[in-house]
């Protein structure tokens, strides 16, 4: 039988959905809105950077970033994100969620602005300083992952906790869309103010000098939504679960939540002392006792997030082919530099609007109805089916008359990634670990995912090159081809199905019940259940 639960934690678990829940979603969600904007806006301007800084006189094609430079510009933020997830995840458990939350936001604001102020005029100096600030921007973004998820899970009630955490993550979709919309608006303004001929008509004149300001404005705009939420974050009280279970101050936790919930709450300091004095609770991260209780859970959350992000980020490899096939992006030489930014932004916005955003919000709607386990299993299963359906008859899809089918399959794969493991891998690590390890374990899981993103975005960029060295993209060595890459991704998704069985179902249970922090005997801990509770 579970032990006594602190009244303050029980009050949070059974609280009806109130205004403070939506306030917490907005405050945490705006962080993720900014994260997505900052991470994905770089893809809107990489073509422009190539035209400005790597123009080759006499070339039939516009300038483009060399493979190593493109990998650095696109990937350095991922490396920073991985670092931030590990460091700030650990720091969130040591210093408290609130104290660290403001640090990550300030890093994001400062580095967003600094990204647009890259120093010098030569390609090497501009790109080097851009990469430097993008790395530190990634560190701030990485810290937002474990902190936002942990804060939302510890504020939420147990009935709708999954939907609240998922709603925070779903703000990513709006961030991606906002990046596209802002780039559309600003590029349209620049095009109207500084018209230029297409590259085929005038190679040098197709990139006006003012285009150098365009990419800087797009990158710097990401600082605005982050700065707007700084004051709200600074006024949020520390979560009751951290204050009571980690800082051991039940009186302060009761006082903080009494103001939030507007009810009288007993402190229950004696219960905190009984729990903290229990020998079964006295174990550290990665100790034998931790591995016995939560080792498989951590393996489940890290492996599924790693596998998901390999598949999710590798899908970006095929976007330009799809966009070109359906006429969203014409050949580069038929546009000037600013028009190309406009067309790429429009395509990204349409993908976000039609596939990315709906998938996120389907998860929000159903995660507390059918559970995390079912959604993740369903998502990986459909991703596996669609990936093999793309790979096995790949030659069929390459014919022009069959391209629309390829687009549909591709969109459905993206949809079930978002109505599936892309959200659940974020939600579950914030629920299943003890309060004193929660932020750290979420950070470890998220960092594993970001490692998968690096493998997916860059490993498969090289693997997907044609085996024929005469048909590879400029600067790339021969690979295994798109068809074999898709087959590998199908296998990756299938492995995601298998590792999902290590992840426990948290639907309808309190955080303390899942993690075994109620003072119950460890033999009665049901936290190892890995299938939905009916």
């Amino acid at each position: 039988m579970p032990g006594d639960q602190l009244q303050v934690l029980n009050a949070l678990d059974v609280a009806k959905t109130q205004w403070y829940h939506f306030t917490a979603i907005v405050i945490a969600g705006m962080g993720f809105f900014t994260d997505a904007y900052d991470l994905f806006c770089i893809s809107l301007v990489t073509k422009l950077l190539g035209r400005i800084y790597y123009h080759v006189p006499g070339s039939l094609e516009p300038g483009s970033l060399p493979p190593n430079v493109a990998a650095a510009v696109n990937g350095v933020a991922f490396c920073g994100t991985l670092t931030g997830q590990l460091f700030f995840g650990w720091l969130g458990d040591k210093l408290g969620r609130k104290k660290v939350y403001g640090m990550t936001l300030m890093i994001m604001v400062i580095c967003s602005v600094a990204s647009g102020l890259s120093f010098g005029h030569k390609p090497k100096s501009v790109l080097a300083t851009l990469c430097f600030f993008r790395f530190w921007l990634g560190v701030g973004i990485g810290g937002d992952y474990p902190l936002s998820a942990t804060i939302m899970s510890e504020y939420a009630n147990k009935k709708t906790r999954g939907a609240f955490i998922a709603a925070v993550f779903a703000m990513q979709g709006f961030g991606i869309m906002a990046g596209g919309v802002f780039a559309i608006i600003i590029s349209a303004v620049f095009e109207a103010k500084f018209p230029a001929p297409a590259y085929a008509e005038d190679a040098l004149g197709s990139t006006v000098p003012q285009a150098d300001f365009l990419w800087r404005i797009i990158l710097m705009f990401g600082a605005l939504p982050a700065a707007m939420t700084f004051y709200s974050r600074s006024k949020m009280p520390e979560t009751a679960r951290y204050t009571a279970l980690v800082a051991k101050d039940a009186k302060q936790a009761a006082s903080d939540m009494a103001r939030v919930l507007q009810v009288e709450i007993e402190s229950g300091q004696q219960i905190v002392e009984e729990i903290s004095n229990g020998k079964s609770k006295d174990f550290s991260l990665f100790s034998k006792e931790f591995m016995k209780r939560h080792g498989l859970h951590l393996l489940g959350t890290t492996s599924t997030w790693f596998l998901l992000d390999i598949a999710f980020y590798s899908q970006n490899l095929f976007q330009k082919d799809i966009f070109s096939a359906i006429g969203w992006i014409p050949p580069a030489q038929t546009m000037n530099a600013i028009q190309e930014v406009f067309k790429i932004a429009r395509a990204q916005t349409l993908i976000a609007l039609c596939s990315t955003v709906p998938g996120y919000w389907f998860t929000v709607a159903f995660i507390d109805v059918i559970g995390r386990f079912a959604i993740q299993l369903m998502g990986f299963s459909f991703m596996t089916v669609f990936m093999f359906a793309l790979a096995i008859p790949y030659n069929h899809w390459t014919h022009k008359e069959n391209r629309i089918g390829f687009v549909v399959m591709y969109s459905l794969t993206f949809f079930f990634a978002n109505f599936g493991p892309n959200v659940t891998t974020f939600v579950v690590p914030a629920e299943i670990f003890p309060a004193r390890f929660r932020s750290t374990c979420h950070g470890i899981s998220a960092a594993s995912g970001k490692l998968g993103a690096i493998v997916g975005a860059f490993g498969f960029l090289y693997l997907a090159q044609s085996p024929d060295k005469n048909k590879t993209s400029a600067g790339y060595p021969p690979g295994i081809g798109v068809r074999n890459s898709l087959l590998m991704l199908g296998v990756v998704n299938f492995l995601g199905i298998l590792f999902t069985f290590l992840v426990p179902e948290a639907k309808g249970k309190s955080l303390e019940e899942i993690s075994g922090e109620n003072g119950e005997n460890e033999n009665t801990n049901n936290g190892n259940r890995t299938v939905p509770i009916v």
Side-chain angles (χ1 to χ4, degrees):
M1 291 290 293
D4 293 331
Q5 186 182 31
L6 283 167
Q7 187 183 354
V8 63
L9 305 186
N10 184 63
L12 286 168
D13 280 339
V14 301
K16 293 181 179 179
T17 300
Q18 299 177 35
W19 181 249
Y20 83 89
H21 286 122
F22 294 109
T23 303
I25 289 172
V26 170
I27 293 171
M30 283 306 291
F32 265 85
F33 178 96
T34 305
D35 295 349
Y37 182 99
D38 288 333
L39 278 179
F40 289 92
C41 70
I42 194 69
S43 64
L44 302 172
V45 300
T46 47
K47 296 279 190 185
L48 179 59
L49 290 169
R51 285 188 184 238
I52 295 171
Y53 296 108
Y54 290 90
H55 172 69
V56 179
S59 173
L60 297 175
E61 297 288 335
S64 61
L65 298 178
N68 61 326
V69 177
V73 169
N74 287 296
V76 71
F78 286 155
C79 297
T81 303
L82 188 154
T83 305
Q85 286 163 337
L86 291 172
F87 177 69
F88 285 110
W90 169 79
L91 206 60
D93 283 334
K94 294 298 178 185
L95 301 182
R97 293 44 161 142
K98 180 188 174 180
K99 287 181 181 178
V100 183
Y101 211 26
M103 296 181 200
T104 62
L105 204 64
M106 284 308 299
I107 293 172
M108 288 159 60
V109 171
I110 293 168
C111 292
S112 289
V113 174
S115 294
L117 300 175
S118 297
F119 310 122
H121 298 286
K122 294 182 179 179
K124 183 177 284 188
S125 60
V126 172
L127 273 298
T129 52
L130 174 61
C131 287
F132 175 81
F133 290 118
R134 291 282 299 173
F135 173 83
W136 287 105
L137 174 64
V139 171
I141 290 170
D144 225 43
Y145 272 71
L147 294 169
S148 289
T150 301
I151 286 170
M152 197 65 246
S153 73
E154 293 182 346
Y155 264 105
N157 61 53
K158 63 183 180 182
K159 184 179 179 182
T160 56
R161 185 180 59 239
F164 288 163
I165 306 172
V168 169
F169 192 71
M171 292 297 287
Q172 274 198 339
F174 291 125
I176 295 169
M177 202 159 64
V181 169
F182 181 72
I184 287 170
I185 294 169
I186 201 74
S187 59
V189 170
F190 269 67
E191 174 64 16
K193 192 75 174 173
F194 311 108
Y199 183 86
E201 298 172 19
D202 182 356
L204 198 59
S206 67
T207 306
V208 295
Q210 292 82 0
D212 194 45
F213 293 103
L214 178 59
W215 69 267
R216 297 174 187 272
I217 292 170
I218 290 172
L219 295 187
M220 292 169 72
F221 185 76
L224 187 61
M228 288 169 60
T229 59
F230 182 77
Y231 177 78
S232 299
R233 283 196 181 190
S234 67
K235 292 298 180 183
M236 286 181 75
E238 181 59 84
T239 70
R241 287 183 160 90
Y242 182 86
T243 305
L245 298 176
V246 183
K248 312 298 183 190
D249 190 348
K251 186 176 180 180
Q252 184 62 50
S255 174
D256 288 341
M257 291 305 105
R259 288 200 307 274
V260 170
L261 297 171
Q262 297 181 337
V263 294
E264 288 292 326
I265 300 175
E266 294 179 10
S267 69
Q269 186 66 37
Q270 184 180 352
I271 297 174
V272 170
E273 291 170 1
E274 289 174 1
I275 292 173
S276 62
N277 289 334
K279 290 183 179 179
S280 64
K281 302 295 167 192
D282 189 23
F283 59 91
S284 59
L285 186 66
F286 300 131
S287 64
K288 185 177 180 180
E289 184 66 21
F290 175 87
M291 298 309 291
K292 177 183 176 183
R293 294 184 179 211
H294 303 290
L296 286 178
H297 297 165
L298 189 59
L299 175 61
T301 58
T302 53
S303 59
T304 52
W305 207 335
F306 175 77
L307 294 165
L308 175 274
D309 273 8
I310 290 176
F312 186 79
Y313 283 89
S314 66
Q315 290 178 61
N316 294 326
L317 298 177
F318 315 111
Q319 277 196 7
K320 62 179 174 56
D321 298 325
I322 290 169
F323 293 159
S324 299
I326 59 181
W328 285 358
I329 301 180
Q333 62 269 25
T334 66
M335 300 178 284
N336 65 40
I338 294 173
Q339 287 171 343
E340 189 171 34
V341 173
F342 178 89
K343 295 290 176 63
I344 292 171
R346 185 182 65 177
Q348 180 170 299
T349 305
L350 287 170
I351 284 287
L353 184 64
C354 299
S355 181
T356 307
V357 172
Y360 281 131
W361 290 96
F362 263 73
T363 304
V364 173
F366 291 104
I367 192 167
D368 287 312
V369 178
I370 61 177
R372 294 83 165 131
F373 180 88
I375 288 177
Q376 185 161 309
L377 199 64
M378 174 194 69
F380 270 128
S381 298
F382 277 113
M383 289 172 70
T384 303
V385 169
F386 289 127
M387 203 64 81
F388 281 129
L390 289 171
I392 294 170
Y394 180 71
N395 291 333
H396 169 80
W397 300 118
T398 58
H399 299 299
K400 191 171 183 179
E401 64 271 17
N402 299 324
R403 286 290 179 91
I404 191 67
F406 187 90
V407 173
V408 171
M409 290 279 198
Y410 172 85
S411 298
L412 285 170
T413 308
F414 239 111
F415 174 81
F416 281 106
N418 291 315
F419 182 29
N422 193 36
V423 179
T424 55
T425 51
F426 175 81
V427 172
V428 173
E431 299 181 300
I432 64 175
F433 298 105
R436 65 188 185 279
F437 306 134
R438 188 168 291 136
S439 179
T440 302
C441 289
H442 194 285
I444 292 169
S445 302
S448 175
K450 207 51 65 183
L451 184 62
I454 293 168
V455 172
F458 304 107
F460 276 87
L461 186 60
Y462 285 86
L463 282 175
Q465 297 295 321
S466 171
D468 184 349
K469 65 180 181 180
N470 296 317
K471 295 181 180 179
T472 61
S473 300
Y476 288 92
I480 61 173
V482 174
R483 181 178 183 272
N484 289 330
S485 296
L486 287 169
L487 285 169
M488 284 185 67
L489 291 173
V491 173
V492 166
N493 289 326
F494 180 74
L495 290 174
I497 295 173
L498 301 181
F499 279 100
T500 294
F501 285 92
L502 297 177
V503 180
E505 177 58 72
K507 179 172 83 94
K509 298 198 284 187
S510 74
L511 296 178
E512 291 68 46
E513 185 183 352
I514 302 163
S515 63
E517 290 178 285
N518 270 355
E520 72 269 36
N521 185 287
E522 62 188 90
N523 294 325
T524 65
N525 184 6
N526 289 324
N528 290 318
R529 186 188 295 273
T530 57
V531 293
I533 299 171
V534 181

